[in-house]
Amino acid sequence: MLITGIKSKPVYAPLAADVGGRYHVLVGHGVGAEQLLRLVDELRASGGSSRASRRMLYATDLSAAPNAMATVREADVAHVRVFENIPALLEDFRTLLETSRMGTRLYVAGPEAFMGLVMRIANEFNLNRDEIRAEECGSRARRVHCIHCRAATESVTTNIVECSGCRRWLVVRDHYSRRLAAYMGVMVDAEMPGERPAVKDVFV
Amino acid sequence: MSVVFKANETFRDDFTFRNSPKAIRRFPLPFVDDEYMYSVNIEPHTPGPKGSVTEFAIDVDEHYIAECKDREIVLLEDPLRYQALPHMMSAQWDVLELIMESMSRDYPELFSLTKTGNRWAWTNRPLGIHTEFTFGDAATLPREPLDYITRQVQGDWVVMDQREGDLFAEAGMVTTPADWSLDFDIGMTFKEWHGPVPLAHELSVFTRALKFLLNLRLNEPVRRLNWTMTIHPRLDTSPEFYYRWGKDRASVTPESVADDAHLRVELQGLWRLPRSNGIVFSIRCYLISMRELASVPKWARRVHRVLKNLDPALVDYKGLTRYRDTVVDWLAPFDDGAPTSPGAGPD
C-alpha cells in the first residue's frame, strides 16, 4: 500500500475577506476562534460588510484558548451561536444554509476533520468552491472511512487504526473524499494476515 | 463475424476463465516498446483492423455473457457499485443511446434497436432481454437508464459532468475496478479522482489529459490503454473486497505463476455526450495469463523486459511487489535477447 503526496487532499489558505460577498457566514472550531475574530476585524475594516451581514457559529473544545468562548460571544456580528460539540453546530449550520441567499460567502477555520464535515454540508447546498474559504488550524487528526464496512472512525492520529465498525486494522490511505469528509481506510494486513506495522502517531 | 460465448466461465471461486487462441491473438498488449512509463497516450478511437478489439466502438467478445453474469453477482452483494447523482439523468440517457446504437449497429445478429419516435425497442439476444420503453422517461425502464444498460455491456462505465473547467465523476457502474472505489470517489474532480496514482502528477499527465478532455468533441471519441497485473482472472479487484483477494498476492509460487499471474489491460474509451455535454469513460478489462501470453514469443520477450525494469513506484502502486520477481523469473527463459519488432501486435 503506497502512501505518497496527497493529491485529493483539499488545499487551504489563510482566511481573507471576500468583499464581493453580501453575506458572510463564519464557522469555526477550537483554536479556529482566533482566525474567525481576525476575519471579523478584516471585514469591518474593508467597509464593504455591515454588522448585519455577518453571522458566526463556533464550537469549542479543549484546544481553544480559555477565553475563546467569551471573546467569540462579543464578536461584532449580527448573530453568534456557540456550541459545546460539533454535531450541534453542524445541525445549526444546516438550518442557516437552508435560509441563506445569493451572495453568501462561507469561511471555515478549524482542524481538517471539522472543516471536511462543514464542507460536506456546504456541498449539499451547492455552494461553489470559490464561495468558500477555509483555513486549517489545530489537530491534524483524520476522519477515516472504512472502505470495507463504510463506518467512519473519528480523530485518527496514528498510521494504522482499528475500524470502529468492523474492527479490521486499517491503514490510512492518502486519498480524501469531500463527499464523505474522510480519508480512505483499507485493511492493512489483507495480503499477509497479522503482518502489521507498529502503531505510531503521525497525524498530530 | 460470429462470437462463440463461453457463457459458463467464472472470474471467481474456481476461476474457469480462459482465452481461446483467437482471443489471445487479439489481446491488446499495451507495450509498444520494451520499457514502460506513464504518458498521455491518447489516440482517436477510430476503427482498428478487422477482428481487433478496436474494430468497433464497443467490443463484444467471447467473455460477454460470463462478464455480465459476474457483474450481477457483484451488484447483488454490493449495490453501491452502481451510483448516479440526481443531476446526471440526461447523461444517463446519453450513455444508453451510445451503447444501444453502437452494439446494434456493429453486432446486428446479437442486438437490435428499433425506434418509433420516442418509443424504442431493444433486443439483446445473448442475454435474452427484450424491452420496449420511452426514451427520456425513466419510469418505462426496469432500472435507471445507466444501471439498465451497463448490466448488458462489458467494462466499467463512469460518467463525468463538465463544469467549472473540470470534470466531476458523478455516475458510474464499477464492478471490475483495479483497486479503486466509485463509492469513495463519486463527486470528485478529475485530479482528485486520480490522486493516488504516483509519478503521473509530477509528469503533468493529468493536467494535460484534463485539458485535452475538456475540449473533447462530439463524435470524435478517444481511447488509451492502461494496465496492471492480477492474481487469478478476477474481475472484481475492488478495495471494498480487498480483504478477500489481497492474500492472493502472497500466494504466487514458481509452480503456480504461469497460470495464476495475469496481465490485466484496460481499454479506456472516452466519448462526449450530446445532451448533457458530459463525458463517458469506459474501462474495459482484458485478462491474459502468463502461460497464454508466452504463446506469443514477441510478447514473452517484451513483457519480461518491461517488468524487469519497471519503476519501483509503479511496482508498488500496481501491487506487484510480492510476486513481480517470480513472474520475471518465469518469463526469463523465453527472452533470448533478440530484438522485438516495432508496435505491440504479435509477429
Side-chain angles (χ1 to χ4, degrees), chain B residues 64-331:
Chain B
Y64 173 77
I65 294 176
E67 287 188 30
C68 291
K69 281 187 191 170
D70 196 70
R71 167 156 293 162
E72 294 290 340
I73 295 171
V74 175
L75 288 166
L76 211 57
E77 190 173 11
D78 193 2
L80 291 176
R81 299 302 187 85
Y82 167 77
Q83 293 192 48
L85 298 186
H87 62 274
M88 298 300 280
M89 192 50 86
S90 80
Q92 290 200 33
W93 286 108
D94 281 335
V95 177
L96 175 137
E97 177 186 58
L98 171 73
I99 294 175
M100 286 186 176
E101 289 192 340
S102 300
M103 289 175 41
S104 59
R105 177 188 66 229
D106 298 332
Y107 300 91
E109 70 282 17
L110 302 178
F111 310 98
S112 61
L113 176 65
T114 56
K115 301 178 187 175
T116 314
N118 279 344
R119 290 295 300 167
W120 290 27
W122 166 252
T123 303
N124 178 332
R125 291 180 196 90
L127 297 183
I129 293 169
H130 178 79
T131 309
E132 294 177 16
F133 62 98
T134 304
F135 187 84
D137 181 358
T140 61
L141 279 175
R143 302 176 181 280
E144 289 192 349
L146 184 66
D147 187 5
Y148 172 81
I149 196 60
T150 52
R151 287 173 189 252
Q152 302 179 46
V153 62
Q154 291 163 274
D156 286 341
W157 295 77
V158 178
V159 192
M160 299 183 287
D161 189 38
Q162 181 163 334
R163 60 178 189 272
E164 300 168 37
D166 212 327
L167 293 167
F168 294 79
E170 295 188 321
M173 171 68 85
V174 178
T175 63
T176 70
D179 200 11
W180 72 279
S181 164
L182 176 72
D183 184 43
F184 191 82
D185 290 358
I186 194 166
M188 288 189 183
T189 66
F190 192 73
K191 285 186 192 169
E192 287 171 352
W193 180 26
H194 293 96
V197 182
L199 306 178
H201 292 269
E202 288 69 18
L203 295 168
S204 307
V205 165
F206 296 116
T207 303
R208 286 184 284 147
L210 174 62
K211 195 173 165 193
F212 182 88
L213 292 176
L214 289 171
N215 293 304
L216 186 67
R217 290 153 64 131
L218 193 60
N219 300 321
E220 295 179 15
V222 296
R223 65 175 175 244
R224 69 181 286 264
L225 294 175
N226 193 22
W227 70 279
T228 185
M229 293 189 75
T230 302
I231 301 308
H232 302 307
R234 186 191 295 277
L235 285 174
D236 182 18
T237 48
S238 57
E240 282 87 345
F241 290 152
Y242 174 56
Y243 63 88
R244 291 183 186 163
W245 58 264
K247 58 178 84 71
D248 294 350
R249 287 177 171 170
S251 73
V252 181
T253 66
E255 293 70 41
S256 72
V257 63
D259 296 306
D260 284 359
H262 287 69
L263 181 62
R264 187 198 133 103
V265 173
E266 293 175 356
L267 172 59
Q268 304 181 344
L270 296 123
W271 287 262
R272 173 69 67 193
L273 299 172
R275 299 170 189 78
S276 58
N277 197 42
I279 289 179
V280 66
F281 179 26
S282 79
I283 308 154
R284 169 67 177 279
C285 175
Y286 294 86
L287 293 163
I288 190 168
S289 70
M290 290 301 105
R291 191 184 300 285
E292 289 171 343
L293 180 116
S295 69
V296 178
K298 170 183 171 182
W299 289 354
R301 287 190 195 102
R302 178 162 289 174
V303 173
H304 173 248
R305 294 169 196 177
V306 167
L307 289 179
K308 194 173 173 182
N309 299 312
L310 193 62
D311 188 294
L314 293 183
V315 173
D316 186 5
Y317 172 67
K318 291 178 185 290
L320 316 183
T321 310
R322 294 184 194 274
Y323 60 86
R324 192 262 306 248
D325 291 349
T326 312
V327 176
V328 170
D329 289 348
W330 189 80
L331 288 172

